Amino acid sequence: MTSDLDLPDDLFLFHPGDAEDARRTLSFRRTPTVLLTFAANRFTRLASREYQARFGIGAMDWRMLVMLAREPGTGVNHAARTIGIDKAAVSRSLRRLADLGLARLDDGSTAARGAWRLTGQGAALHDRILDVALDRQSKLLDGFTRAEVSAFADYLRRFLGNLDDMAADGTTQTNATQRSD
Amino acid sequence: MTSDLDLPDDLFLFHPGDAEDARRTLSFRRTPTVLLTFAANRFTRLASREYQARFGIGAMDWRMLVMLAREPGTGVNHAARTIGIDKAAVSRSLRRLADLGLARLDDGSTAARGAWRLTGQGAALHDRILDVALDRQSKLLDGFTRAEVSAFADYLRRFLGNLDDMAADGTTQTNATQRSD
DNA sequence: GACCTTGTGTTGTCAAGTCAACAGGGACAG
DNA sequence: CTGTCCCTGTTGACTTGACAACACAAGGTC
């Protein structure tokens, strides 16, 4: 609990300089949660548009491709918990991917416990988009040293951990996101 | 352009260990854009739910309260550019806030160029939520030193800057988010 | 003053994701 | 074997934000 000592609220507040009738409120430039939200929204929107235009799938479907590339045989629930979105959205995304011929159910899998994997076509598309995604990311991390990138990722992981703690406090059901590798 | 030298793609890749049929793809733990998206999605969802339950407004409306607290007399377009979301969403949010008696148009402002500000009730609600928001954020930054928080914010700002550059490259219209304070 | 241009705000439509309710299969106790 | 419980996945209703098209006022030019 170092935060109470080291992080006075004042650090994050915007103080109306020449006053008029502005109020004491959040600083946009110094408040991590604000910056985080801005950055993620803009990033997702841009990526979604580009992937849709170039490859015909959205950002959500791309995430599912990665998920299936990483863990063939994944089910809806596991995927939803891993990437932290609703299982309904996952279910619909998988249906889209199946319709496009990019993913399929394992032969032995029932409707109740589906095991999904990429088709050959899906794997090929995944590899193509992966190149683009890495290129985009390298542009977005332009100017970062390797150590800074590591620190950035470390901060985000810790933030996510605290987020899981907070979510676990609020609800009985432990719905915390699973993260591996 | 240090990134090309310092950031080999390999840094971000997940390598299937015991192989089976997993593919080379993005690492979830080490890829900043992935972590960023996860963190922001989960944060917004949790915050939205809590604010809705406790105060009857969503995360979007809360952002507008902050915007109006910071710059009374703001118009739809300026607000949309500042907080980086669509002006249509801003327009509808302002209507909601007006219906709730939390915001109002300046007396002298026309429909075409509206100047919005908080009502007394809106200002009071803003101050109440601000306390909650600061408390939430302090929980989420638990374990961070002051220096780390600064570095975190700095990375996010730089990321956002690169994002704006990328968006500017893609489109003629310079739609970059304005950030002040 | 009439015209054009520009910027602002509103609205219709669509896609995406969440929540809640439900269907259906497995596992397990008796 | 059978009933119960739990877990998984699907679907419908709803909310939110994005995109695009439009209406409209303001300002400048001739």
Side-chain angles (χ1 to χ4, degrees), chain A:
Chain A
M1 278 292 184
T2 58
S3 59
D4 295 330
L5 289 167
D6 292 347
L7 302 179
D9 287 346
D10 237 40
L11 186 58
F12 306 117
L13 291 181
F14 165 81
H15 294 280
D18 43 358
E20 35 174 330
D21 45 2
R23 306 185 72 75
R24 163 184 175 273
T25 189
L26 288 179
S27 159
F28 285 173
R29 276 192 62 254
R30 277 169 294 143
T31 308
T33 50
V34 172
L35 293 167
L36 183 81
T37 311
F38 287 4
N41 281 350
R42 292 179 58 75
F43 171 75
T44 300
R45 194 180 341 158
L46 271 178
S48 204
R49 205 159 12 167
E50 175 167 355
Y51 295 162
Q52 189 73 53
R54 294 181 57 177
F55 306 108
I57 67 174
M60 167 68 204
D61 296 328
W62 161 236
R63 268 176 263 171
M64 281 306 304
L65 289 187
V66 172
M67 185 71 219
L68 294 181
R70 133 193 313 258
E71 292 184 44
T74 301
V76 169
N77 252 293
H78 178 65
R81 273 196 297 265
T82 303
I83 63 185
I85 59 177
D86 197 82
K87 60 181 178 170
V90 170
S91 176
R92 293 190 171 107
S93 172
L94 284 173
R95 181 167 304 267
R96 273 195 303 274
L97 294 181
D99 286 346
L100 293 170
L102 302 173
R104 61 174 178 81
L105 268 171
D106 266 357
D107 294 333
S109 62
T110 67
R113 188 182 182 83
W116 290 82
R117 64 184 63 243
L118 296 175
T119 62
Q121 201 183 344
L125 181 61
H126 166 274
D127 291 355
R128 276 209 299 152
I129 303 186
L130 181 59
D131 287 340
V132 175
L134 285 171
D135 189 55
R136 287 176 62 85
Q137 174 163 272
S138 114
K139 284 200 181 66
L140 292 174
L141 294 176
D142 187 42
F144 284 69
T145 66
R146 191 164 178 159
E148 285 174 333
V149 170
S150 291
F152 193 13
D154 181 53
Y155 296 158
L156 288 166
R157 275 196 302 273
R158 284 156 64 187
F159 186 89
L160 267 167
N162 290 338
L163 206 43
D164 284 347
D165 292 346
M166 180 182 283
D169 287 349
T171 59
T172 315
Q173 51 179 346
T174 169
N175 215 1
T177 306
Q178 298 178 2
R179 273 182 311 287
S180 54
D181 171 335

Side-chain angles (χ1 to χ4, degrees), chain B residues 71-149:
Chain B
E71 291 184 44
T74 300
V76 168
N77 252 290
H78 178 63
R81 272 195 296 266
T82 303
I83 62 186
I85 58 177
D86 197 80
K87 60 181 179 172
V90 171
S91 176
R92 293 190 171 107
S93 172
L94 285 172
R95 179 167 306 265
R96 273 195 303 273
L97 294 180
D99 288 345
L100 292 170
L102 301 173
R104 63 177 175 78
L105 268 172
D106 266 357
D107 294 335
S109 62
T110 67
R113 188 183 180 78
W116 290 83
R117 63 185 63 242
L118 295 175
T119 61
Q121 202 183 343
L125 182 62
H126 166 272
D127 290 355
R128 277 208 300 150
I129 303 187
L130 180 59
D131 286 340
V132 176
L134 285 171
D135 188 55
R136 288 175 62 83
Q137 173 163 271
S138 115
K139 284 199 182 66
L140 292 174
L141 294 176
D142 186 44
F144 283 70
T145 67
R146 191 165 179 156
E148 286 174 333
V149 171

Side-chain angles (χ1 to χ4, degrees), chain B:
Chain B
M1 279 291 185
T2 58
S3 60
D4 293 331
L5 288 167
D6 292 348
L7 302 178
D9 287 346
D10 236 38
L11 186 58
F12 306 117
L13 291 181
F14 165 80
H15 293 281
D18 43 358
E20 34 173 331
D21 45 0
R23 304 185 75 75
R24 165 183 175 274
T25 188
L26 288 179
S27 160
F28 285 173
R29 277 191 61 253
R30 278 169 295 145
T31 308
T33 49
V34 172
L35 293 167
L36 183 81
T37 311
F38 287 3
N41 281 349
R42 292 180 57 74
F43 171 76
T44 300
R45 191 180 343 156
L46 271 178
S48 204
R49 205 158 12 166
E50 175 168 355
Y51 295 161
Q52 189 73 53
R54 293 181 59 175
F55 307 108
I57 67 175
M60 169 68 206
D61 295 328
W62 160 238
R63 267 176 263 173
M64 281 306 303
L65 288 187
V66 172
M67 186 69 219
L68 294 181
R70 133 193 314 258
E71 291 184 44
T74 300
V76 168
N77 252 290
H78 178 63
R81 272 195 296 266
T82 303
I83 62 186
I85 58 177
D86 197 80
K87 60 181 179 172
V90 171
S91 176
R92 293 190 171 107
S93 172
L94 285 172
R95 179 167 306 265
R96 273 195 303 273
L97 294 180
D99 288 345
L100 292 170
L102 301 173
R104 63 177 175 78
L105 268 172
D106 266 357
D107 294 335
S109 62
T110 67
R113 188 183 180 78
W116 290 83
R117 63 185 63 242
L118 295 175
T119 61
Q121 202 183 343
L125 182 62
H126 166 272
D127 290 355
R128 277 208 300 150
I129 303 187
L130 180 59
D131 286 340
V132 176
L134 285 171
D135 188 55
R136 288 175 62 83
Q137 173 163 271
S138 115
K139 284 199 182 66
L140 292 174
L141 294 176
D142 186 44
F144 283 70
T145 67
R146 191 165 179 156
E148 286 174 333
V149 171
S150 291
F152 194 14
D154 181 53
Y155 296 158
L156 287 167
R157 275 196 302 275
R158 284 156 64 188
F159 186 89
L160 269 165
N162 288 340
L163 206 43
D164 285 347
D165 291 345
M166 180 182 284
D169 286 350
T171 59
T172 315
Q173 52 180 347
T174 169
N175 214 3
T177 306
Q178 296 177 3
R179 274 180 311 284
S180 54
D181 163 349

